[in-house]
Amino acid sequence: MSEQTVTASSSGTFKIGGDLSVNRLGYGTMQLTGPGIWGDPKDPDEAVRVLQKAIDLGVNFIDTADVYGPYVANEFVKKALHPYPDDLVIATKVGFTRQGPDRWIPVGRPEYLRQQVEMNLRTLGVDRIDLLQLHRIDPKVPLADQIGELALMKMEGKIHHIGLSQVSVGELQAANEITPIVSVQNLYNLAKRDSELILNYCEKHQIGFIPWFPLATGALAKEGGPLDQIAKKYDAKPAQIALAWLLKRSPVILPIPGTSSVAHVKENIAAAGIKLSDEDFQALSAAV
């Protein structure tokens, strides 16, 4: 398998919200920050190169968030890619606050969500956010107040589509009664599949499913394990097979593997060229 000839277009396409066509294999910006997702990365120039290489290799879906840094990831996206390609879809998120490295507290008060949408617009250098996701539902604030404020900003033309993150089917249904929800971003990977129920719901209703932490493989990748064996069969790395498994699992899955290394972004995108057989897919699925 030649990494140089494989681009993200080999992963197939999906229309977010029915109108934003993206190559299914995207890129997530969380690792373009310092330790604990706080502050600047060790190599800012490499962060710029990573983003530019991802675009060069056909990625046209980037997932970021105001709290990555905070704002550090957004600023790298703008520095590396602005003015943006016409086909680039940028998704971002609001709803968390940061109190330091590795500290995350949800705040869903409407005035805070509005402030953070405005800050995303400014730091990304856009007039409208393609996909704005509520990073977490704040249990202290009525859902109608949180989703309602985002829906209002959508009416104002500042948001195109709205998504949710780390939610249940019931929460998705409740939010969808307030305004159309076009995507769900939940923890999901080959080794951890607690979100199967909502993934199946998303597939049935053509809602994009963005798995975060997509490369986690756990003990499956150990020497001689099922993932290791299948990776050798495809002359690939375990992480590439984990991505290929996600792409085959459902046509609504949009993996966004992140990295701070150009070499790794090339490896990840090369996974779009791996087409797992049904037998190998089932073997991996059954291994967990």
Side-chain angles (χ1 to χ4, degrees), residues 27-269:
Y27 175 78
T29 69
M30 190 170 74
Q31 294 190 38
L32 299 181
T33 63
I37 325 300
W38 188 261
D40 291 317
K42 290 181 180 178
D43 191 343
D45 291 337
E46 182 76 347
V48 170
R49 288 191 291 266
V50 164
L51 285 160
Q52 292 173 341
K53 178 55 69 175
I55 298 300
D56 289 344
L57 291 175
V59 167
N60 59 7
F61 178 52
I62 289 179
D63 178 88
T64 188
D66 57 351
V67 288
Y68 296 164
Y71 300 116
V72 170
N74 280 10
E75 288 163 356
F76 275 121
V77 170
K78 183 179 179 182
K79 180 179 180 180
L81 305 177
H82 196 276
Y84 300 115
D86 291 341
D87 67 339
L88 180 63
V89 173
I90 300 176
T92 188
K93 298 179 280 293
V94 299
F96 262 136
T97 60
R98 300 296 304 278
Q99 292 71 40
D102 290 319
R103 298 195 65 189
W104 314 72
I105 296 176
V107 172
R109 290 174 53 174
E111 62 270 28
Y112 176 68
L113 298 181
R114 176 170 287 270
Q115 170 186 293
Q116 295 312 101
V117 169
E118 293 287 0
M119 289 297 291
N120 272 284
L121 288 167
R122 194 170 89 188
T123 53
L124 288 168
V126 295
D127 296 322
R128 183 184 74 172
I129 294 167
D130 295 325
L131 173 60
L132 191 285
Q133 303 159 94
L134 183 61
H135 215 151
R136 290 294 185 276
I137 293 174
D138 182 351
K140 298 177 181 178
V141 178
L143 180 66
D145 291 353
Q146 298 175 70
I147 303 300
E149 188 68 22
L150 299 181
L152 183 58
M153 297 193 80
K154 180 179 175 182
M155 289 175 58
E156 294 167 5
K158 295 178 178 181
I159 296 170
H160 186 50
H161 287 307
I162 296 172
L164 300 174
S165 181
Q166 212 52 37
V167 292
S168 66
V169 171
E171 289 167 333
L172 170 58
Q173 291 172 327
N176 207 42
E177 290 180 3
I178 301 166
T179 192
I181 302 299
V182 306
S183 69
V184 167
Q185 185 165 160
N186 273 27
L187 172 61
Y188 187 82
N189 52 57
L190 176 58
K192 189 168 179 60
R193 291 181 252 157
D194 299 353
S195 289
E196 288 280 1
L197 195 63
I198 192 164
L199 169 55
N200 292 335
Y201 183 91
C202 287
E203 185 172 340
K204 181 179 179 181
H205 296 276
Q206 282 299 293
I207 295 169
F209 185 89
I210 307 166
W212 61 269
F213 208 22
L215 295 180
T217 54
L220 292 175
K222 68 182 178 182
E223 185 72 27
L227 187 55
D228 177 61
Q229 290 180 3
I230 289 175
K232 288 175 179 174
K233 179 178 176 180
Y234 288 84
D235 190 24
K237 297 194 173 180
Q240 292 176 313
I241 297 299
L243 285 172
W245 183 89
L246 283 170
L247 289 168
K248 188 174 177 68
R249 169 61 183 83
S250 171
V252 305
I253 285 184
L254 310 172
I256 48 164
T259 177
S260 58
S261 155
V262 168
H264 285 155
V265 84
K266 290 161 79 173
E267 277 182 12
N268 290 341
I269 293 170

